[in-house]
């Protein structure tokens, strides 16, 4: 019963957000962006302006519109001289649809107004709030997307100068924002990264930095605990990159490297409120071996020790 109540509350929250955002960007108005076009018509114009060699079938798949509805919009655009059709060079049964010069002229001010509208909203926010907003929108897109990438949209690389400072900054910031942890945690991360650089053993220790679109979106460390035991530390993934498998890939690399380096076991320490990380460890085969209550980072927490046997 509580689960049903939680789902109902989440449904209402999502519907409330939808109502808020559609009102915020004015999609309920008869003409979008003070134009004679509806939201759907503007979206069709956008696809035609930014796509290449599009057929009606391709547009229908991209926009998930009713075939008849899309056909009526395109016929209306043709009557108004905004689009034209030409036989496809690759499929004789299909026609390529493209904007006419009049269609381009109609779309250009709509595109400019849309950018100006978003710019106006973002200008009301501080740089910090803008970053939070964009991260949240990227997270929504990643979680609700039904697209399965044919290849990983990220790369892993070894650490380089400047990375440790970034890791300290981002983990200190994110854990404060998401869990309310104070600067004690940031100090701990700084101590761990400083020790890693100062005592780095390239044969038995490693740091992986995850990058996407030339930006750091996550990291993890393996350090030497003893001759037979490796320790996984400081796993994190940026909010806008979650749901892409980055955390799982980082942990798999830790396991692979530890085996190759001759370790017999990997251990890690985390806290029970870090649910997403715990699920990653469970999927990788780690077992929970110990729990202890402690007061750290300004909160009462339950620390956990996890182990993975590599033999």
């Amino acid at each position: 019963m509580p689960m049903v109540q939680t789902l109902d509350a989440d449904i209402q929250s999502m519907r409330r957000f939808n109502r808020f955002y559609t009102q915020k960007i004015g999609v309920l108005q008869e003409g979008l962006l003070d134009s004679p076009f509806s939201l759907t018509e503007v979206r069709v114009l956008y696809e035609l302006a930014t796509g290449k060699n599009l057929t009606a079938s391709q547009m229908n798949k991209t926009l998930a519109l009713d075939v008849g509805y899309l056909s009526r919009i395109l016929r209306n655009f043709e009557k108004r001289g905004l689009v034209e059709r030409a036989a496809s060079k690759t499929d004789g049964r299909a026609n390529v649809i493209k904007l006419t010069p009049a269609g381009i002229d109609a779309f250009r001010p709509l595109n400019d107004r849309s950018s100006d509208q978003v710019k106006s909203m973002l200008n009301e926010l501080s740089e910090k709030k803008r970053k939070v907003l964009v991260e949240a929108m990227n997270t929504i897109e990643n979680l609700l997307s039904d697209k399965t990438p044919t290849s990983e949209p990220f790369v892993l690389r070894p650490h380089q100068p400047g990375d440790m400072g970034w890791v300290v900054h981002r983990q200190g910031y994110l854990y404060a924002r998401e869990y309310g942890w104070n600067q004690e945690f940031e100090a701990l991360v700084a101590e761990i990264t400083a020790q890693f650089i100062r005592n780095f053993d390239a044969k038995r220790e490693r740091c992986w930095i995850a990058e996407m679109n030339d930006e750091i979106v996550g990291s993890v460390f393996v350090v030497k605990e003893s001759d037979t035991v490796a320790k996984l530390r400081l796993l994190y993934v940026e909010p806008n990159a979650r749901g892409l498998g980055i955390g799982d890939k980082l942990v798999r690399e830790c396991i692979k490297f530890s085996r190759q380096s001759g370790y017999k076991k990997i251990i890690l320490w985390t806290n029970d409120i870090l649910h997403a990380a715990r699920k990653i460890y469970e999927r990788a085969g780690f077992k929970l071996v110990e729990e202890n209550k402690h007061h750290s980072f300004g909160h009462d927490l339950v620390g956990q020790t996890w182990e993975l046997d590599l033999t």
Side-chain angles (χ1 to χ4, degrees), residues 225-258:
E225 182 74 3
S226 71
D227 289 341
T228 59
V229 179
K231 190 169 187 177
L232 186 154
R233 311 204 75 172
L234 299 181
L235 172 68
Y236 102 100
V237 177
E238 291 283 343
N240 66 321
R242 293 170 187 169
L244 301 176
I246 295 175
D248 289 290
K249 182 64 179 289
L250 287 168
V251 171
R252 287 198 301 270
E253 289 299 313
C254 290
I255 295 171
K256 179 181 177 181
F257 172 80
S258 297

Side-chain angles (χ1 to χ4, degrees), residues 40 43-44 47 56-70 146:
T40 307
R43 188 72 167 83
V44 171
E47 289 300 320
S57 177
Q58 290 170 329
M59 293 184 63
N60 180 68
K61 184 176 181 180
T62 299
L63 297 172
L65 289 176
D66 175 78
V67 176
Y69 183 30
L70 176 61
D146 59 359

Side-chain angles (χ1 to χ4, degrees), residues 86-225:
S88 171
K89 296 180 180 179
T90 58
D91 186 353
R93 299 168 298 176
N95 289 322
V96 172
I97 304 168
K98 64 179 182 178
L99 293 179
T100 62
I104 295 173
D105 289 341
F107 171 73
R108 188 178 293 114
L110 291 172
N111 194 48
D112 291 342
R113 284 179 217 156
S114 181
S115 295
D116 290 342
Q117 181 189 48
V118 174
K119 181 179 180 181
S120 178
M121 285 190 286
L122 294 179
N123 278 338
E124 296 178 0
L125 303 175
S126 65
E127 183 177 353
K128 181 178 180 180
K129 289 183 178 180
R130 286 202 306 271
K131 188 170 184 62
V132 172
L133 175 65
V134 172
E135 287 177 351
M137 290 189 293
N138 286 335
T139 299
I140 292 172
E141 183 179 358
N142 289 334
L143 291 176
L144 296 184
S145 174
D146 59 359
K147 297 178 181 179
T148 302
T150 55
S151 61
E152 292 173 336
F154 57 89
V155 296
L156 303 186
R157 62 165 176 80
H159 67 283
Q160 59 191 28
D163 287 339
M164 296 302 114
W166 177 260
V167 170
V168 173
H169 161 66
R170 291 305 293 166
Q171 293 214 21
Y173 169 74
L174 289 172
Y175 280 87
R177 195 186 81 188
E178 296 179 0
Y179 299 99
W181 291 3
N182 62 23
Q183 290 182 319
E184 292 176 15
F185 179 71
E186 186 174 356
L188 174 63
V189 178
E191 291 168 1
I192 293 171
T193 54
Q195 185 177 12
F196 176 80
I197 293 296
R198 192 175 294 117
N199 304 319
F200 181 53
D201 180 351
K203 293 182 179 180
R204 309 211 73 192
E205 297 181 319
R206 187 67 58 87
C207 168
W208 290 266
I209 300 293
E211 281 192 346
M212 188 166 65
N213 299 325
D214 297 321
E215 292 186 358
I216 296 176
V217 293
S219 63
V220 74
F221 296 73
V222 165
V223 299
K224 177 182 175 181
E225 182 74 3

Side-chain angles (χ1 to χ4, degrees), residues 3-16:
M3 183 177 295
V4 174
Q5 292 175 345
T6 300
L7 178 58
D8 287 343
D10 291 344
I11 290 170
Q12 295 307 314
S13 294
M14 192 165 184
R15 292 183 63 190
R16 183 172 62 252

Side-chain angles (χ1 to χ4, degrees), residues 22-77:
T22 52
Q23 183 275 333
K24 187 72 174 176
I25 62 176
V27 299
L28 301 179
Q29 298 173 8
E30 185 174 352
L32 186 67
L33 299 168
D34 297 321
S35 77
F37 301 103
S38 68
L39 170 64
T40 307
E41 289 173 328
V42 172
R43 188 72 167 83
V44 171
L45 288 172
Y46 176 85
E47 289 300 320
L48 290 170
T50 57
K52 289 184 178 180
N53 300 321
L54 293 178
T55 65
S57 177
Q58 290 170 329
M59 293 184 63
N60 180 68
K61 184 176 181 180
T62 299
L63 297 172
L65 289 176
D66 175 78
V67 176
Y69 183 30
L70 176 61
S71 179
R72 290 193 295 274
I73 290 175
L74 292 175
R75 284 201 303 270
N76 180 39
F77 282 176

